[in-house]
Amino acid sequence: MNLPVWFEVGTFVVLTLLLAADLLIVTRRPHAPSMREASLWVSFYVGLAVVFGIVLGFVGHGQASGEFFAGWLTEYSLSVDNLFIFVIILAQFRVPRKYQQSVLMFGILTAIVLRGVFILLGAALINEFAWVFYIFGAFLVYTAIRLANQQVHHEDHDDEYENAFVRRAQRVLPMTQEYHGVKLRIRENGKRLYTPMVIVFLSIASADLLFAVDSIPAIFGLTQEAFIVFTANIFALMGLRQLYFLIGGLLEKLVYLSAGLAVILAFIGVKLVLHALHENNLPFVNGGEPFHSVPEVPIWLSLTVIVGTLLVTTVLSLLKSRSDDRKAARSGSAGDAADEVEAGSDEPADRPS
């Protein structure tokens, strides 16, 4: 894919300005956005991604546009799943609501940097070693199995999100008990002390690292163009801060999200293995010769599977949540009726005069 240099440079300049403006808004006026404000921002970023994908089709070609939309939808769905962890981190460390935007913005910027590093490493490895597709494919299939197992056994995200690095930091660093805005370090009684915000930032950064390990192989299964991979990731991450405040409780209603992501990642994993076989150069597989008879999965099929899976997952999740709410309401009504009957039976019977 040969895109004009002015288009690639212009894209990165515009995205950088958008991120800088978003960061300026957060630092100048830390607050919890209203539902209206959050919905407007999310709509803006989603609309911007759609417009970019359409423009990419005109500047490049339809294949590039299809790869972008497939990659963006996949990364966006993974980002929604990642919001569960952000919710847990912010709740566990009792981050004041007005500072949560700043924490989320830090998480987004950290994610962009980490994914940029992974993208550069991944692109370099793929260009030099085609066998990397075997590893990426196997990893995605393994991740899909893990998500499917989580869905089958109804395993929720852990309420406690800690790791050894964070626990060690809590023991080693001299720390205050209260937050001091978004400051990481303050001077108190002549001593330099860290605030709990340091631990929050460490938790967010470690979560971002895990997310990058999951997401980058997934999108490389849809396109090997570093420009599309990077822009799809940025568009998926922009607006995530506002999405956190917008959907809050809706996350709990997406009960089949793990199953949907498992289907998508398994499909992309199989696609990667097929591509690796088609481009095979491992000497101990087929004598180092490619499997020309192995079919390549077209991007239109990838996009159809991803969109279809997300739609089915969302509809089934909302229907299941609605059914559960109705059952809970009926059981609650039955319980109230039983309490009334029991209370009535405890009253003394009227005696005839």
Side-chain angles (χ1 to χ4, degrees):
M1 181 185 69
N2 293 317
L3 291 172
V5 175
W6 64 264
F7 179 75
E8 295 188 358
V9 173
T11 298
F12 287 124
V13 169
V14 171
L15 291 178
T16 301
L17 290 175
L18 281 172
L19 289 170
D22 209 0
L23 180 62
L24 186 63
I25 291 172
V26 171
T27 54
R28 283 289 184 89
R29 193 168 66 95
H31 68 291
S34 64
M35 291 290 288
R36 182 175 181 276
E37 180 185 348
S39 60
L40 287 174
W41 275 108
V42 171
S43 300
F44 169 72
Y45 283 122
V46 170
L48 196 64
V50 172
V51 170
F52 176 79
I54 294 172
V55 172
L56 186 61
F58 285 104
V59 176
H61 47 77
Q63 176 80 6
S65 180
E67 289 178 358
F68 170 79
F69 280 120
W72 172 63
L73 285 171
T74 300
E75 294 299 312
Y76 205 81
S77 58
L78 287 169
S79 296
V80 171
D81 187 51
N82 296 342
L83 279 179
F84 278 107
I85 300 299
F86 288 154
V87 169
I88 292 169
I89 292 173
L90 296 177
Q92 180 186 351
F93 294 107
R94 296 179 176 83
V95 179
R97 191 169 174 81
K98 65 178 180 178
Y99 301 131
Q100 290 180 3
Q101 283 215 81
S102 300
V103 174
L104 292 168
M105 194 66 202
F106 166 80
I108 290 169
L109 294 176
T110 304
I112 290 174
V113 172
L114 289 174
R115 294 187 188 198
V117 172
F118 275 82
I119 288 167
L120 292 176
L121 292 175
L125 286 172
I126 287 170
N127 288 334
E128 292 295 326
F129 311 103
W131 51 263
V132 171
F133 286 112
Y134 286 113
I135 298 176
F136 281 1
F139 177 77
L140 289 180
V141 172
Y142 164 76
T143 305
I145 293 172
R146 181 164 53 85
L147 286 172
N149 185 65
Q150 175 181 309
Q151 184 71 63
V152 170
H153 293 92
H154 305 288
E155 296 175 3
D156 295 324
H157 293 275
D158 293 335
D159 288 335
E160 297 292 323
Y161 182 83
E162 285 189 294
N163 57 37
F165 181 69
V166 172
R167 289 195 301 270
R168 190 177 185 86
Q170 287 178 313
R171 290 197 300 266
V172 172
L173 297 177
M175 191 168 296
T176 65
Q177 296 300 313
E178 300 83 21
Y179 288 97
H180 294 264
V182 293
K183 292 180 180 179
L184 303 181
R185 199 176 181 190
I186 64 165
R187 181 180 291 276
E188 191 174 86
N189 298 326
K191 293 182 179 180
R192 287 281 188 180
L193 299 174
Y194 291 94
T195 72
M197 194 63 76
V198 170
I199 304 300
V200 175
F201 278 11
L202 287 175
S203 299
I204 292 288
S206 61
D208 281 334
L209 181 60
L210 295 176
F211 300 159
V213 172
D214 279 342
S215 66
I216 297 307
I219 192 169
F220 268 119
L222 298 167
T223 177
Q224 284 80 60
E225 297 293 340
F227 175 77
I228 294 179
V229 172
F230 196 67
T231 52
N233 268 277
I234 292 180
F235 277 109
L237 291 169
M238 287 196 311
L240 196 63
R241 172 173 61 85
Q242 293 88 350
L243 188 65
Y244 168 86
F245 292 97
L246 178 63
I247 65 178
L250 182 60
L251 287 174
E252 300 298 330
K253 295 184 180 296
L254 297 177
V255 293
Y256 295 128
L257 182 60
S258 294
L261 289 175
V263 171
I264 292 173
L265 293 182
F267 171 79
I268 297 174
V270 171
K271 180 179 183 292
L272 270 177
V273 172
L274 292 176
H275 182 73
L277 291 171
H278 196 270
E279 302 291 330
N280 177 64
N281 58 7
L282 291 177
F284 53 85
V285 177
N286 198 35
E289 295 297 321
F291 291 86
H292 295 295
S293 59
V294 173
E296 288 271 31
V297 178
I299 193 64
W300 66 263
L301 180 58
S302 300
L303 192 55
T304 301
V305 170
I306 292 168
V307 173
T309 302
L310 290 176
L311 285 175
V312 171
T313 298
T314 303
V315 171
L316 291 180
S317 294
L318 295 179
L319 289 176
K320 177 69 163 58
S321 296
R322 184 179 299 178
S323 175
D324 290 344
D325 291 341
R326 287 174 179 171
K327 289 179 181 177
R330 283 199 298 268
S331 62
S333 300
D336 292 341
D339 291 340
E340 291 177 4
V341 171
E342 184 177 348
S345 65
D346 292 337
E347 294 177 0
D350 291 338
R351 295 179 180 176
S353 55

mmCIF file with all atom_site columns, all heavy atoms in Angstrom, residues 209-230:
data_model
loop_
_atom_site.group_PDB
_atom_site.id
_atom_site.type_symbol
_atom_site.label_atom_id
_atom_site.label_alt_id
_atom_site.label_comp_id
_atom_site.label_asym_id
_atom_site.label_entity_id
_atom_site.label_seq_id
_atom_site.pdbx_PDB_ins_code
_atom_site.Cartn_x
_atom_site.Cartn_y
_atom_site.Cartn_z
_atom_site.occupancy
_atom_site.B_iso_or_equiv
_atom_site.pdbx_formal_charge
_atom_site.auth_seq_id
_atom_site.auth_comp_id
_atom_site.auth_asym_id
_atom_site.auth_atom_id
_atom_site.pdbx_PDB_model_num
ATOM 1   N N   . LEU A 1 209 ? 0.191  -2.482  29.501 1.00 0.00 ? 209 LEU A N   1
ATOM 2   C CA  . LEU A 1 209 ? 1.184  -3.402  28.930 1.00 0.00 ? 209 LEU A CA  1
ATOM 3   C C   . LEU A 1 209 ? 0.538  -4.729  28.561 1.00 0.00 ? 209 LEU A C   1
ATOM 4   O O   . LEU A 1 209 ? 0.785  -5.281  27.474 1.00 0.00 ? 209 LEU A O   1
ATOM 5   C CB  . LEU A 1 209 ? 2.321  -3.617  29.940 1.00 0.00 ? 209 LEU A CB  1
ATOM 6   C CG  . LEU A 1 209 ? 3.464  -4.546  29.509 1.00 0.00 ? 209 LEU A CG  1
ATOM 7   C CD1 . LEU A 1 209 ? 4.146  -4.001  28.259 1.00 0.00 ? 209 LEU A CD1 1
ATOM 8   C CD2 . LEU A 1 209 ? 4.471  -4.716  30.635 1.00 0.00 ? 209 LEU A CD2 1
ATOM 9   N N   . LEU A 1 210 ? -0.320 -5.241  29.440 1.00 0.00 ? 210 LEU A N   1
ATOM 10  C CA  . LEU A 1 210 ? -1.015 -6.495  29.153 1.00 0.00 ? 210 LEU A CA  1
ATOM 11  C C   . LEU A 1 210 ? -1.964 -6.336  27.964 1.00 0.00 ? 210 LEU A C   1
ATOM 12  O O   . LEU A 1 210 ? -2.077 -7.228  27.121 1.00 0.00 ? 210 LEU A O   1
ATOM 13  C CB  . LEU A 1 210 ? -1.799 -6.950  30.387 1.00 0.00 ? 210 LEU A CB  1
ATOM 14  C CG  . LEU A 1 210 ? -0.973 -7.317  31.623 1.00 0.00 ? 210 LEU A CG  1
ATOM 15  C CD1 . LEU A 1 210 ? -1.892 -7.646  32.788 1.00 0.00 ? 210 LEU A CD1 1
ATOM 16  C CD2 . LEU A 1 210 ? -0.046 -8.494  31.327 1.00 0.00 ? 210 LEU A CD2 1
ATOM 17  N N   . PHE A 1 211 ? -2.643 -5.179  27.888 1.00 0.00 ? 211 PHE A N   1
ATOM 18  C CA  . PHE A 1 211 ? -3.568 -4.951  26.786 1.00 0.00 ? 211 PHE A CA  1
ATOM 19  C C   . PHE A 1 211 ? -2.826 -4.914  25.453 1.00 0.00 ? 211 PHE A C   1
ATOM 20  O O   . PHE A 1 211 ? -3.321 -5.422  24.440 1.00 0.00 ? 211 PHE A O   1
ATOM 21  C CB  . PHE A 1 211 ? -4.317 -3.625  26.977 1.00 0.00 ? 211 PHE A CB  1
ATOM 22  C CG  . PHE A 1 211 ? -5.129 -3.558  28.244 1.00 0.00 ? 211 PHE A CG  1
ATOM 23  C CD1 . PHE A 1 211 ? -5.495 -2.330  28.777 1.00 0.00 ? 211 PHE A CD1 1
ATOM 24  C CD2 . PHE A 1 211 ? -5.516 -4.711  28.906 1.00 0.00 ? 211 PHE A CD2 1
ATOM 25  C CE1 . PHE A 1 211 ? -6.239 -2.259  29.949 1.00 0.00 ? 211 PHE A CE1 1
ATOM 26  C CE2 . PHE A 1 211 ? -6.261 -4.652  30.073 1.00 0.00 ? 211 PHE A CE2 1
ATOM 27  C CZ  . PHE A 1 211 ? -6.620 -3.420  30.598 1.00 0.00 ? 211 PHE A CZ  1
ATOM 28  N N   . ALA A 1 212 ? -1.645 -4.287  25.442 1.00 0.00 ? 212 ALA A N   1
ATOM 29  C CA  . ALA A 1 212 ? -0.870 -4.197  24.197 1.00 0.00 ? 212 ALA A CA  1
ATOM 30  C C   . ALA A 1 212 ? -0.448 -5.573  23.716 1.00 0.00 ? 212 ALA A C   1
ATOM 31  O O   . ALA A 1 212 ? -0.470 -5.863  22.508 1.00 0.00 ? 212 ALA A O   1
ATOM 32  C CB  . ALA A 1 212 ? 0.359  -3.305  24.412 1.00 0.00 ? 212 ALA A CB  1
ATOM 33  N N   . VAL A 1 213 ? -0.087 -6.438  24.654 1.00 0.00 ? 213 VAL A N   1
ATOM 34  C CA  . VAL A 1 213 ? 0.326  -7.801  24.284 1.00 0.00 ? 213 VAL A CA  1
ATOM 35  C C   . VAL A 1 213 ? -0.824 -8.551  23.632 1.00 0.00 ? 213 VAL A C   1
ATOM 36  O O   . VAL A 1 213 ? -0.636 -9.348  22.701 1.00 0.00 ? 213 VAL A O   1
ATOM 37  C CB  . VAL A 1 213 ? 0.828  -8.562  25.536 1.00 0.00 ? 213 VAL A CB  1
ATOM 38  C CG1 . VAL A 1 213 ? 1.066  -10.026 25.222 1.00 0.00 ? 213 VAL A CG1 1
ATOM 39  C CG2 . VAL A 1 213 ? 2.112  -7.921  26.053 1.00 0.00 ? 213 VAL A CG2 1
ATOM 40  N N   . ASP A 1 214 ? -2.060 -8.300  24.087 1.00 0.00 ? 214 ASP A N   1
ATOM 41  C CA  . ASP A 1 214 ? -3.234 -8.966  23.524 1.00 0.00 ? 214 ASP A CA  1
ATOM 42  C C   . ASP A 1 214 ? -3.650 -8.383  22.174 1.00 0.00 ? 214 ASP A C   1
ATOM 43  O O   . ASP A 1 214 ? -4.017 -9.104  21.253 1.00 0.00 ? 214 ASP A O   1
ATOM 44  C CB  . ASP A 1 214 ? -4.422 -8.863  24.493 1.00 0.00 ? 214 ASP A CB  1
ATOM 45  C CG  . ASP A 1 214 ? -4.330 -9.908  25.599 1.00 0.00 ? 214 ASP A CG  1
ATOM 46  O OD1 . ASP A 1 214 ? -3.579 -10.878 25.425 1.00 0.00 ? 214 ASP A OD1 1
ATOM 47  O OD2 . ASP A 1 214 ? -4.998 -9.736  26.621 1.00 0.00 ? 214 ASP A OD2 1
ATOM 48  N N   . SER A 1 215 ? -3.629 -7.049  22.088 1.00 0.00 ? 215 SER A N   1
ATOM 49  C CA  . SER A 1 215 ? -4.277 -6.398  20.946 1.00 0.00 ? 215 SER A CA  1
ATOM 50  C C   . SER A 1 215 ? -3.431 -6.331  19.689 1.00 0.00 ? 215 SER A C   1
ATOM 51  O O   . SER A 1 215 ? -3.968 -6.439  18.574 1.00 0.00 ? 215 SER A O   1
ATOM 52  C CB  . SER A 1 215 ? -4.701 -4.975  21.341 1.00 0.00 ? 215 SER A CB  1
ATOM 53  O OG  . SER A 1 215 ? -3.571 -4.170  21.592 1.00 0.00 ? 215 SER A OG  1
ATOM 54  N N   . ILE A 1 216 ? -2.116 -6.138  19.827 1.00 0.00 ? 216 ILE A N   1
ATOM 55  C CA  . ILE A 1 216 ? -1.276 -5.945  18.635 1.00 0.00 ? 216 ILE A CA  1
ATOM 56  C C   . ILE A 1 216 ? -1.259 -7.190  17.741 1.00 0.00 ? 216 ILE A C   1
ATOM 57  O O   . ILE A 1 216 ? -1.418 -7.066  16.516 1.00 0.00 ? 216 ILE A O   1
ATOM 58  C CB  . ILE A 1 216 ? 0.143  -5.520  19.032 1.00 0.00 ? 216 ILE A CB  1
ATOM 59  C CG1 . ILE A 1 216 ? 0.099  -4.162  19.754 1.00 0.00 ? 216 ILE A CG1 1
ATOM 60  C CG2 . ILE A 1 216 ? 1.035  -5.419  17.805 1.00 0.00 ? 216 ILE A CG2 1
ATOM 61  C CD1 . ILE A 1 216 ? -0.622 -3.070  18.985 1.00 0.00 ? 216 ILE A CD1 1
ATOM 62  N N   . PRO A 1 217 ? -1.080 -8.407  18.278 1.00 0.00 ? 217 PRO A N   1
ATOM 63  C CA  . PRO A 1 217 ? -1.170 -9.579  17.384 1.00 0.00 ? 217 PRO A CA  1
ATOM 64  C C   . PRO A 1 217 ? -2.519 -9.682  16.685 1.00 0.00 ? 217 PRO A C   1
ATOM 65  O O   . PRO A 1 217 ? -2.600 -10.126 15.538 1.00 0.00 ? 217 PRO A O   1
ATOM 66  C CB  . PRO A 1 217 ? -0.947 -10.764 18.335 1.00 0.00 ? 217 PRO A CB  1
ATOM 67  C CG  . PRO A 1 217 ? -0.164 -10.201 19.459 1.00 0.00 ? 217 PRO A CG  1
ATOM 68  C CD  . PRO A 1 217 ? -0.683 -8.805  19.642 1.00 0.00 ? 217 PRO A CD  1
ATOM 69  N N   . ALA A 1 218 ? -3.598 -9.249  17.367 1.00 0.00 ? 218 ALA A N   1
ATOM 70  C CA  . ALA A 1 218 ? -4.938 -9.345  16.768 1.00 0.00 ? 218 ALA A CA  1
ATOM 71  C C   . ALA A 1 218 ? -5.038 -8.482  15.521 1.00 0.00 ? 218 ALA A C   1
ATOM 72  O O   . ALA A 1 218 ? -5.535 -8.930  14.478 1.00 0.00 ? 218 ALA A O   1
ATOM 73  C CB  . ALA A 1 218 ? -5.998 -8.935  17.790 1.00 0.00 ? 218 ALA A CB  1
ATOM 74  N N   . ILE A 1 219 ? -4.564 -7.251  15.587 1.00 0.00 ? 219 ILE A N   1
ATOM 75  C CA  . ILE A 1 219 ? -4.717 -6.376  14.427 1.00 0.00 ? 219 ILE A CA  1
ATOM 76  C C   . ILE A 1 219 ? -3.714 -6.720  13.324 1.00 0.00 ? 219 ILE A C   1
ATOM 77  O O   . ILE A 1 219 ? -3.989 -6.530  12.140 1.00 0.00 ? 219 ILE A O   1
ATOM 78  C CB  . ILE A 1 219 ? -4.598 -4.880  14.838 1.00 0.00 ? 219 ILE A CB  1
ATOM 79  C CG1 . ILE A 1 219 ? -5.058 -3.995  13.677 1.00 0.00 ? 219 ILE A CG1 1
ATOM 80  C CG2 . ILE A 1 219 ? -3.195 -4.538  15.270 1.00 0.00 ? 219 ILE A CG2 1
ATOM 81  C CD1 . ILE A 1 219 ? -5.240 -2.544  14.055 1.00 0.00 ? 219 ILE A CD1 1
ATOM 82  N N   . PHE A 1 220 ? -2.555 -7.269  13.690 1.00 0.00 ? 220 PHE A N   1
ATOM 83  C CA  . PHE A 1 220 ? -1.617 -7.716  12.661 1.00 0.00 ? 220 PHE A CA  1
ATOM 84  C C   . PHE A 1 220 ? -2.179 -8.905  11.882 1.00 0.00 ? 220 PHE A C   1
ATOM 85  O O   . PHE A 1 220 ? -1.713 -9.216  10.790 1.00 0.00 ? 220 PHE A O   1
ATOM 86  C CB  . PHE A 1 220 ? -0.254 -8.083  13.269 1.00 0.00 ? 220 PHE A CB  1
ATOM 87  C CG  . PHE A 1 220 ? 0.717  -6.938  13.281 1.00 0.00 ? 220 PHE A CG  1
ATOM 88  C CD1 . PHE A 1 220 ? 1.225  -6.454  14.472 1.00 0.00 ? 220 PHE A CD1 1
ATOM 89  C CD2 . PHE A 1 220 ? 1.125  -6.347  12.102 1.00 0.00 ? 220 PHE A CD2 1
ATOM 90  C CE1 . PHE A 1 220 ? 2.120  -5.396  14.486 1.00 0.00 ? 220 PHE A CE1 1
ATOM 91  C CE2 . PHE A 1 220 ? 2.016  -5.288  12.099 1.00 0.00 ? 220 PHE A CE2 1
ATOM 92  C CZ  . PHE A 1 220 ? 2.513  -4.805  13.300 1.00 0.00 ? 220 PHE A CZ  1
ATOM 93  N N   . GLY A 1 221 ? -3.180 -9.556  12.470 1.00 0.00 ? 221 GLY A N   1
ATOM 94  C CA  . GLY A 1 221 ? -3.851 -10.627 11.737 1.00 0.00 ? 221 GLY A CA  1
ATOM 95  C C   . GLY A 1 221 ? -4.798 -10.104 10.684 1.00 0.00 ? 221 GLY A C   1
ATOM 96  O O   . GLY A 1 221 ? -5.264 -10.864 9.830  1.00 0.00 ? 221 GLY A O   1
ATOM 97  N N   . LEU A 1 222 ? -5.081 -8.796  10.728 1.00 0.00 ? 222 LEU A N   1
ATOM 98  C CA  . LEU A 1 222 ? -5.998 -8.189  9.766  1.00 0.00 ? 222 LEU A CA  1
ATOM 99  C C   . LEU A 1 222 ? -5.270 -7.338  8.728  1.00 0.00 ? 222 LEU A C   1
ATOM 100 O O   . LEU A 1 222 ? -5.732 -7.181  7.607  1.00 0.00 ? 222 LEU A O   1
ATOM 101 C CB  . LEU A 1 222 ? -7.026 -7.317  10.504 1.00 0.00 ? 222 LEU A CB  1
ATOM 102 C CG  . LEU A 1 222 ? -7.930 -8.075  11.485 1.00 0.00 ? 222 LEU A CG  1
ATOM 103 C CD1 . LEU A 1 222 ? -8.673 -7.105  12.392 1.00 0.00 ? 222 LEU A CD1 1
ATOM 104 C CD2 . LEU A 1 222 ? -8.908 -8.962  10.720 1.00 0.00 ? 222 LEU A CD2 1
ATOM 105 N N   . THR A 1 223 ? -4.162 -6.760  9.121  1.00 0.00 ? 223 THR A N   1
ATOM 106 C CA  . THR A 1 223 ? -3.359 -5.955  8.195  1.00 0.00 ? 223 THR A CA  1
ATOM 107 C C   . THR A 1 223 ? -1.919 -5.913  8.674  1.00 0.00 ? 223 THR A C   1
ATOM 108 O O   . THR A 1 223 ? -1.669 -5.942  9.882  1.00 0.00 ? 223 THR A O   1
ATOM 109 C CB  . THR A 1 223 ? -3.906 -4.517  8.100  1.00 0.00 ? 223 THR A CB  1
ATOM 110 O OG1 . THR A 1 223 ? -3.059 -3.747  7.238  1.00 0.00 ? 223 THR A OG1 1
ATOM 111 C CG2 . THR A 1 223 ? -3.958 -3.845  9.460  1.00 0.00 ? 223 THR A CG2 1
ATOM 112 N N   . GLN A 1 224 ? -0.999 -5.867  7.746  1.00 0.00 ? 224 GLN A N   1
ATOM 113 C CA  . GLN A 1 224 ? 0.418  -5.749  8.088  1.00 0.00 ? 224 GLN A CA  1
ATOM 114 C C   . GLN A 1 224 ? 0.952  -4.344  7.810  1.00 0.00 ? 224 GLN A C   1
ATOM 115 O O   . GLN A 1 224 ? 2.150  -4.095  7.895  1.00 0.00 ? 224 GLN A O   1
ATOM 116 C CB  . GLN A 1 224 ? 1.253  -6.778  7.313  1.00 0.00 ? 224 GLN A CB  1
ATOM 117 C CG  . GLN A 1 224 ? 1.142  -8.193  7.838  1.00 0.00 ? 224 GLN A CG  1
ATOM 118 C CD  . GLN A 1 224 ? -0.128 -8.881  7.370  1.00 0.00 ? 224 GLN A CD  1
ATOM 119 O OE1 . GLN A 1 224 ? -0.333 -9.033  6.170  1.00 0.00 ? 224 GLN A OE1 1
ATOM 120 N NE2 . GLN A 1 224 ? -0.980 -9.283  8.293  1.00 0.00 ? 224 GLN A NE2 1
ATOM 121 N N   . GLU A 1 225 ? 0.058  -3.428  7.458  1.00 0.00 ? 225 GLU A N   1
ATOM 122 C CA  . GLU A 1 225 ? 0.462  -2.048  7.204  1.00 0.00 ? 225 GLU A CA  1
ATOM 123 C C   . GLU A 1 225 ? 0.583  -1.304  8.531  1.00 0.00 ? 225 GLU A C   1
ATOM 124 O O   . GLU A 1 225 ? -0.413 -1.097  9.227  1.00 0.00 ? 225 GLU A O   1
ATOM 125 C CB  . GLU A 1 225 ? -0.550 -1.350  6.301  1.00 0.00 ? 225 GLU A CB  1
ATOM 126 C CG  . GLU A 1 225 ? -0.668 -1.951  4.914  1.00 0.00 ? 225 GLU A CG  1
ATOM 127 C CD  . GLU A 1 225 ? 0.602  -1.749  4.094  1.00 0.00 ? 225 GLU A CD  1
ATOM 128 O OE1 . GLU A 1 225 ? 1.397  -0.847  4.436  1.00 0.00 ? 225 GLU A OE1 1
ATOM 129 O OE2 . GLU A 1 225 ? 0.804  -2.507  3.126  1.00 0.00 ? 225 GLU A OE2 1
ATOM 130 N N   . ALA A 1 226 ? 1.810  -0.895  8.887  1.00 0.00 ? 226 ALA A N   1
ATOM 131 C CA  . ALA A 1 226 ? 2.047  -0.253  10.186 1.00 0.00 ? 226 ALA A CA  1
ATOM 132 C C   . ALA A 1 226 ? 1.214  1.013   10.346 1.00 0.00 ? 226 ALA A C   1
ATOM 133 O O   . ALA A 1 226 ? 0.733  1.320   11.448 1.00 0.00 ? 226 ALA A O   1
ATOM 134 C CB  . ALA A 1 226 ? 3.527  0.067   10.344 1.00 0.00 ? 226 ALA A CB  1
ATOM 135 N N   . PHE A 1 227 ? 1.019  1.772   9.249  1.00 0.00 ? 227 PHE A N   1
ATOM 136 C CA  . PHE A 1 227 ? 0.242  3.007   9.327  1.00 0.00 ? 227 PHE A CA  1
ATOM 137 C C   . PHE A 1 227 ? -1.202 2.713   9.727  1.00 0.00 ? 227 PHE A C   1
ATOM 138 O O   . PHE A 1 227 ? -1.775 3.384   10.599 1.00 0.00 ? 227 PHE A O   1
ATOM 139 C CB  . PHE A 1 227 ? 0.270  3.727   7.972  1.00 0.00 ? 227 PHE A CB  1
ATOM 140 C CG  . PHE A 1 227 ? -0.598 4.954   7.913  1.00 0.00 ? 227 PHE A CG  1
ATOM 141 C CD1 . PHE A 1 227 ? -0.190 6.141   8.507  1.00 0.00 ? 227 PHE A CD1 1
ATOM 142 C CD2 . PHE A 1 227 ? -1.834 4.921   7.265  1.00 0.00 ? 227 PHE A CD2 1
ATOM 143 C CE1 . PHE A 1 227 ? -0.995 7.274   8.459  1.00 0.00 ? 227 PHE A CE1 1
ATOM 144 C CE2 . PHE A 1 227 ? -2.642 6.053   7.210  1.00 0.00 ? 227 PHE A CE2 1
ATOM 145 C CZ  . PHE A 1 227 ? -2.215 7.222   7.810  1.00 0.00 ? 227 PHE A CZ  1
ATOM 146 N N   . ILE A 1 228 ? -1.803 1.702   9.116  1.00 0.00 ? 228 ILE A N   1
ATOM 147 C CA  . ILE A 1 228 ? -3.188 1.338   9.447  1.00 0.00 ? 228 ILE A CA  1
ATOM 148 C C   . ILE A 1 228 ? -3.265 0.777   10.863 1.00 0.00 ? 228 ILE A C   1
ATOM 149 O O   . ILE A 1 228 ? -4.195 1.090   11.622 1.00 0.00 ? 228 ILE A O   1
ATOM 150 C CB  . ILE A 1 228 ? -3.733 0.327   8.428  1.00 0.00 ? 228 ILE A CB  1
ATOM 151 C CG1 . ILE A 1 228 ? -3.850 0.977   7.046  1.00 0.00 ? 228 ILE A CG1 1
ATOM 152 C CG2 . ILE A 1 228 ? -5.095 -0.203  8.862  1.00 0.00 ? 228 ILE A CG2 1
ATOM 153 C CD1 . ILE A 1 228 ? -4.358 0.060   5.966  1.00 0.00 ? 228 ILE A CD1 1
ATOM 154 N N   . VAL A 1 229 ? -2.300 -0.046  11.241 1.00 0.00 ? 229 VAL A N   1
ATOM 155 C CA  . VAL A 1 229 ? -2.285 -0.626  12.588 1.00 0.00 ? 229 VAL A CA  1
ATOM 156 C C   . VAL A 1 229 ? -2.245 0.483   13.633 1.00 0.00 ? 229 VAL A C   1
ATOM 157 O O   . VAL A 1 229 ? -2.998 0.469   14.621 1.00 0.00 ? 229 VAL A O   1
ATOM 158 C CB  . VAL A 1 229 ? -1.082 -1.575  12.759 1.00 0.00 ? 229 VAL A CB  1
ATOM 159 C CG1 . VAL A 1 229 ? -0.961 -2.022  14.215 1.00 0.00 ? 229 VAL A CG1 1
ATOM 160 C CG2 . VAL A 1 229 ? -1.222 -2.787  11.858 1.00 0.00 ? 229 VAL A CG2 1
ATOM 161 N N   . PHE A 1 230 ? -1.370 1.457   13.420 1.00 0.00 ? 230 PHE A N   1
ATOM 162 C CA  . PHE A 1 230 ? -1.198 2.527   14.415 1.00 0.00 ? 230 PHE A CA  1
ATOM 163 C C   . PHE A 1 230 ? -2.412 3.437   14.471 1.00 0.00 ? 230 PHE A C   1
ATOM 164 O O   . PHE A 1 230 ? -2.905 3.774   15.559 1.00 0.00 ? 230 PHE A O   1
ATOM 165 C CB  . PHE A 1 230 ? 0.065  3.329   14.093 1.00 0.00 ? 230 PHE A CB  1
ATOM 166 C CG  . PHE A 1 230 ? 0.528  4.187   15.236 1.00 0.00 ? 230 PHE A CG  1
ATOM 167 C CD1 . PHE A 1 230 ? 1.007  3.613   16.404 1.00 0.00 ? 230 PHE A CD1 1
ATOM 168 C CD2 . PHE A 1 230 ? 0.471  5.569   15.156 1.00 0.00 ? 230 PHE A CD2 1
ATOM 169 C CE1 . PHE A 1 230 ? 1.427  4.399   17.476 1.00 0.00 ? 230 PHE A CE1 1
ATOM 170 C CE2 . PHE A 1 230 ? 0.878  6.367   16.214 1.00 0.00 ? 230 PHE A CE2 1
ATOM 171 C CZ  . PHE A 1 230 ? 1.366  5.781   17.376 1.00 0.00 ? 230 PHE A CZ  1
#
